[in-house]
Amino acid sequence: MVDHLANTEINSQRIAAVENCFGASGQPLAVPGRVLLGEGILTKECRKKPKPRIFFLFNDILVYGSIVINKRKYNSQHIIPLEDVTLETLPDTLQMKNRWMIKTSKKSFVVSAASLTERREWISHLEECIRHLLTKTGRQPSTEHAAPWIPDKATDICMRCTQTKFSTLTRRHHCRKCGFVVCADCSRQRFLMPRLSPKPLRVCNLCYRQLLAEKKKEAEADRRQPEPIGSAIPAYEPSSGDDSDKSDDDKAEQWPADTEFYTSEVSWSSFHS
C-alpha cells in the first residue's frame, strides 16, 4: 500500500492538508517517498493531566500536536522518527484504559485510545512501519529509552526522600534520568546528558551519584586504552527533545534508578522499608 500511494496526488494532498493545519509553526512534511497512513486523536498522559492530542502516522515518522480547532488547526508540532520508537502495552488504570507507551531515546510518554480495537490498530500499524524501516536500513531496534515522567498527581510527597509534602509553595520537579517526582532538595544537581539535551538537566540526587560513577568508570576505561594517532574528541549533536528546564513551569533503602513505574505491579512507595 505504501509503494502504491507514494507518488499519488491524493497522498500529496493529504500531506499538504496536514502541513496547512499546523501552519507556520510546523515543519514541512512533504518529502519523496513519504506516505500518510493514518491519523486520529489519542489521549496523552501529560505532567499535569491527560490531554487529547492529534497524531499522524507516516511510513517513516510519527507526528503529533495540540488541538486548537478540531480538524482545522494544530500547534506544538512534534516529529518522532519511527526508527527510534519502541512500543510497550500497558495495563488499564482507573482513570485511563487502552494504554500503551511510546518509547524513544529522547522522550517517552503514555497514550491511550478510545477503544481496545483502536489501540490494536495503532500498535499494529506502528510496528509494521518500524519493522519495514529497520529492515530497509539494517538498523537494530533501539535499546536506550528516555524515562517517562511520572504524572504530578501520582504522589503528594517527594518520591526520593518521602518526607517533603508538595503544596502551592513547595513545587514538584522531575528527574530527567528516572522520571520521578521529587522536591527541590532532592534534585539540586544537574548533569549533561547529550542524548536528551545539549544543556545540563535537572536530576535527582541518587541519579546524579549514579551518573557520576558511570562517567568516572568510562573515563578510567578510556585512559587504559591507547589513543589512536590523529584521533579527535567526538562532538555531541544537540538533542531535539523538548523536555528542557523550562518545562518545570508546566511540568535506609534506595530505589533502583531503572525502576519502571508504569509497568511495576507494586506501588512506588512499597519500595521503602
Side-chain angles (χ1 to χ4, degrees):
M1 182 183 70
V2 172
D3 294 337
H4 175 70
L5 290 172
N7 298 310
T8 62
E9 182 64 25
I10 186 65
N11 180 61
S12 299
Q13 292 174 355
R14 288 172 179 169
I15 294 178
V18 175
E19 288 183 339
N20 291 335
C21 286
F22 280 103
S25 65
Q27 298 183 37
L29 300 172
V31 299
R34 178 168 291 166
V35 176
L36 177 60
L37 298 176
E39 62 185 84
I41 296 176
L42 299 172
T43 300
K44 180 176 179 287
E45 293 188 8
C46 300
R47 174 179 178 176
K48 297 292 185 182
K49 62 180 181 179
K51 298 177 182 178
R53 294 287 185 261
I54 184 70
F55 281 79
F56 298 95
L57 175 60
F58 296 83
N59 59 325
D60 61 336
I61 58 173
L62 181 66
V63 178
Y64 71 94
S66 302
I67 302 170
V68 180
I69 303 175
N70 194 24
K71 295 184 179 180
R72 290 181 57 191
K73 184 172 177 58
Y74 313 117
N75 62 14
S76 303
Q77 184 194 69
H78 300 272
I79 300 176
I80 303 175
L82 289 181
E83 288 180 340
D84 193 35
V85 171
T86 302
L87 306 177
E88 179 183 348
T89 303
L90 301 176
D92 292 344
T93 66
L94 292 176
Q95 294 77 23
M96 299 184 69
K97 301 183 183 300
N98 311 310
R99 304 160 68 235
W100 76 95
M101 189 185 300
I102 298 174
K103 300 190 290 186
T104 78
S105 61
K106 300 185 189 307
K107 183 180 178 68
S108 299
F109 55 92
V110 177
V111 294
S112 65
S115 68
L116 188 62
T117 299
E118 186 177 332
R119 180 180 74 171
R120 189 181 300 119
E121 290 178 351
W122 268 103
I123 292 178
S124 174
H125 284 94
L126 280 163
E127 289 180 339
E128 183 178 354
C129 290
I130 294 168
R131 280 196 302 269
H132 179 76
L133 278 172
L134 292 177
T135 300
K136 184 178 179 181
T137 60
R139 284 184 51 182
Q140 294 298 313
S142 179
T143 57
E144 292 191 23
H145 306 112
W149 283 19
I150 307 301
D152 282 2
K153 292 186 178 180
T155 177
D156 291 328
I157 61 174
C158 173
M159 296 176 72
R160 283 303 183 199
C161 68
T162 69
Q163 301 297 319
T164 302
K165 187 175 179 62
F166 298 120
S167 66
T168 53
L169 298 178
T170 305
R171 293 183 52 208
R172 290 170 168 85
H173 299 281
H174 278 82
C175 172
R176 304 314 198 264
K177 177 68 166 60
C178 66
F180 279 11
V181 184
V182 291
C183 65
D185 286 341
C186 289
S187 59
R188 292 191 179 281
Q189 306 292 342
R190 279 169 167 72
F191 199 89
L192 180 62
M193 294 180 282
R195 181 166 51 86
L196 300 181
S197 172
K199 298 179 180 179
L201 300 176
R202 180 189 294 271
V203 293
C204 68
N205 297 341
L206 175 60
C207 287
Y208 181 73
R209 291 194 296 270
Q210 292 177 334
L211 288 166
L212 276 182
E214 292 172 5
K215 184 177 180 180
K216 181 179 179 181
K217 188 175 180 180
E218 291 173 359
E220 290 175 349
D222 290 340
R223 281 198 296 268
R224 291 194 208 102
Q225 294 183 358
E227 184 176 351
I229 297 175
S231 65
I233 299 175
Y236 292 117
E237 293 185 2
S239 165
S240 61
D242 57 353
D243 285 340
S244 65
D245 281 343
K246 290 184 288 186
S247 61
D248 271 345
D249 298 328
D250 296 327
K251 312 198 30 278
E253 182 177 338
Q254 300 283 9
W255 291 9
D258 58 352
T259 298
E260 293 188 4
F261 175 89
Y262 287 104
T263 56
S264 176
E265 295 181 357
V266 293
S267 62
W268 59 266
S269 57
S270 59
F271 282 96
H272 292 272
S273 57

